[in-house]
Amino acid sequence: MKVILRADIENLGHLGDVVEVKPGYGRNYLIPQDLAMLATPANLHAFELERKKLQARMDEIRAAASAIAEKLQDFVLTIAMRVGENDKLYGSVTTSMIGELLGQEGIEIDRHTILLDGAIRTLGEHTVRARLHADVVPTFVVKVISEDKSHLGEEAPADAE
């Protein structure tokens, strides 16, 4: 099935491209989400008339994503977690936790845009990506520290005998 893209879609194409997709993907996702329209002669003509509005909206979205990306570029998010033996975390750091803490820092992004290469289950610094737009994927650092040490400000001194 041939469709005209009404937005930039990663691994598929950019606004205005006519691409071939599987019928189910087009019918069940792209068209209902208003990301594409069937590539018919009438729709091609209608799209050309609408292109400037769509391009302006896409540029606005890309500019907002770039502004957030600038904030994230050198950002280090510190998360305090409960730790068991051998500095292993109880559970793992999730995209929901990262999104919530970024929101508290004044950086509002959807947790679904946060990309983790794997579960974060150890202490230390981990590089995390966020897909804010098809062309804007900034990276930032998530630093996981022990909950016990975060309350004290530094490591607890050894008991004196």
Side-chain angles (χ1 to χ4, degrees):
M1 138 185 274
K2 286 191 181 224
V3 296
I4 307 164
L5 296 180
R6 295 172 49 96
D8 293 347
I9 301 173
E10 188 174 355
N11 297 328
L12 190 58
H14 295 284
L15 176 75
D17 290 350
V18 177
V19 295
E20 183 78 29
V21 296
K22 292 187 177 185
Y25 182 52
R27 194 174 42 248
N28 297 326
Y29 178 70
L30 293 175
I31 293 172
Q33 296 288 326
D34 206 27
L35 297 173
M37 58 198 312
L38 284 174
T40 63
N43 282 347
L44 282 168
H45 179 70
F47 177 78
E48 287 305 320
L49 297 175
E50 190 181 19
R51 180 189 283 272
K52 286 183 181 176
K53 283 191 256 176
L54 290 171
Q55 188 64 47
R57 189 178 81 205
M58 290 301 297
D59 290 343
E60 191 177 296
I61 292 169
R62 185 178 295 121
S66 295
I68 293 172
E70 284 182 27
K71 291 180 186 177
L72 282 176
Q73 198 58 41
D74 295 321
F75 192 76
V76 177
L77 181 67
T78 303
I79 299 176
M81 295 286 292
R82 283 188 49 210
V83 179
E85 292 181 27
N86 299 329
D87 288 340
K88 285 225 169 201
L89 301 183
Y90 287 116
S92 62
V93 176
T94 63
T95 58
S96 297
M97 295 167 87
I98 294 171
E100 185 179 318
L101 290 170
L102 284 173
Q104 292 174 3
E105 295 290 330
I107 302 172
E108 293 293 331
I109 63 173
D110 184 18
R111 70 178 179 91
H112 297 293
T113 62
I114 299 170
L115 306 173
L116 295 176
D117 293 331
I120 298 177
R121 294 191 174 116
T122 58
L123 295 177
E125 292 187 357
H126 304 273
T127 302
V128 176
R129 296 174 297 138
R131 181 175 293 124
L132 304 175
H133 184 272
D135 300 332
V136 182
V137 185
T139 60
F140 59 99
V141 174
V142 172
K143 184 176 180 183
V144 183
I145 61 172
S146 172
E147 201 173 68
D148 300 332
K149 295 175 184 173
S150 69
H151 292 301
L152 300 173
E154 50 186 76
E155 288 193 37
D159 290 337
E161 291 186 31

